[in-house]
Amino acid sequence: MASDRARATEEKDRPSRLIDNLIDTFHDHYLAAKAQCGHPDVDNHETTMRMLASESRLARRMIVAPLFELLDEPNQATYWSKTIASPSTPGVRYVILTCPRPPGISNADADRNHLQELSNHIVLAADRFRDDFVVGMAFGNRASNDPISIIRVCDCREWNEPHQEMAEALRAAGMKGYGDGSTTLHVP
């Protein structure tokens, strides 16, 4: 009986291990960036890893659940995102983004596009929900066959006029930005 319960718990925890893998992957990125004197992502990576690592196993299950929902979206030719407030850390919000791989574009250009798209979604979520921190994670969607993993954090305690103008410009360009309390954003 106890082993059945342990197996059931392990099965439920399996998706949450994605967070563990992300922490490991970005720890390696962090060490490589730290070796480059003055690399701007060092503090960003460390902050993000600490936030993710502080989440409980149950919270990690809840954080990755939207990713699996997005991977099941029928239209895999576009960006999809979901946002979720941290289940255990007040003032922290996560944005999960799935990315298509457009044909005929270099990996470097695609990575730049995905990073910009993730940044846009972070700005919109930060503007809409006003949490202290917004952590964005981008992944390749099922159709892209791409092992994209990008992570960013926005310290929204420093939200200012240029951030607000950027959010307004994104909305004016057609990105609705989690309006009306929605936690899903589709970019056609």
Side-chain angles (χ1 to χ4, degrees):
M1 178 103 167
S3 64
D4 289 342
R5 182 177 292 152
R7 274 194 294 274
T9 299
E10 181 59 33
E11 187 62 31
K12 288 179 185 175
D13 284 345
R14 187 181 317 218
S16 73
R17 302 278 182 220
L18 176 67
I19 300 286
D20 302 347
N21 293 339
L22 278 176
I23 292 168
D24 290 343
T25 298
F26 285 104
H27 176 71
D28 294 342
H29 289 224
Y30 169 74
L31 292 177
K34 195 170 184 179
Q36 300 173 22
C37 189
H39 193 285
D41 284 339
V42 170
D43 290 339
N44 193 308
H45 278 116
E46 182 177 4
T47 301
T48 305
M49 287 186 300
R50 288 181 187 276
M51 287 179 184
L52 286 169
S54 72
E55 299 288 356
S56 69
R57 181 63 50 204
L58 178 60
R60 291 177 190 196
R61 278 192 218 164
M62 296 168 73
I63 292 165
V64 299
L67 171 62
F68 294 102
E69 292 171 15
L70 294 174
L71 291 173
D72 288 337
E73 285 291 342
N75 181 356
Q76 295 287 307
T78 188
Y79 290 95
W80 285 90
S81 73
K82 283 187 173 276
T83 181
I84 180 172
S86 169
S88 58
T89 310
V92 175
R93 173 165 296 279
Y94 294 95
V95 170
I96 315 298
L97 177 72
T98 57
C99 308
R101 175 60 78 174
I105 187 170
S106 72
N107 287 344
D109 286 342
D111 289 346
R112 275 190 293 278
N113 290 348
H114 299 326
L115 180 59
Q116 183 60 55
E117 194 69 33
L118 179 60
S119 298
N120 292 346
H121 287 256
I122 289 170
V123 166
L124 290 169
D127 182 54
R128 169 65 179 88
F129 295 101
R130 301 299 178 156
D131 290 292
D132 291 340
F133 294 93
V134 177
V135 176
M137 297 178 275
F139 304 92
N141 65 24
R142 289 193 197 279
S144 75
N145 238 357
D146 197 345
I148 299 165
S149 55
I150 303 170
I151 199 160
R152 284 275 181 217
V153 65
C154 177
D155 183 345
C156 303
R157 299 170 302 178
E158 300 172 3
W159 191 259
N160 56 35
E161 182 97 10
H163 292 114
Q164 186 63 42
E165 290 170 0
M166 185 184 303
E168 290 169 8
L170 290 169
R171 280 194 298 276
M175 291 183 76
K176 299 302 178 205
Y178 308 107
D180 302 326
S182 171
T183 58
T184 304
L185 179 61
H186 169 236
V187 180

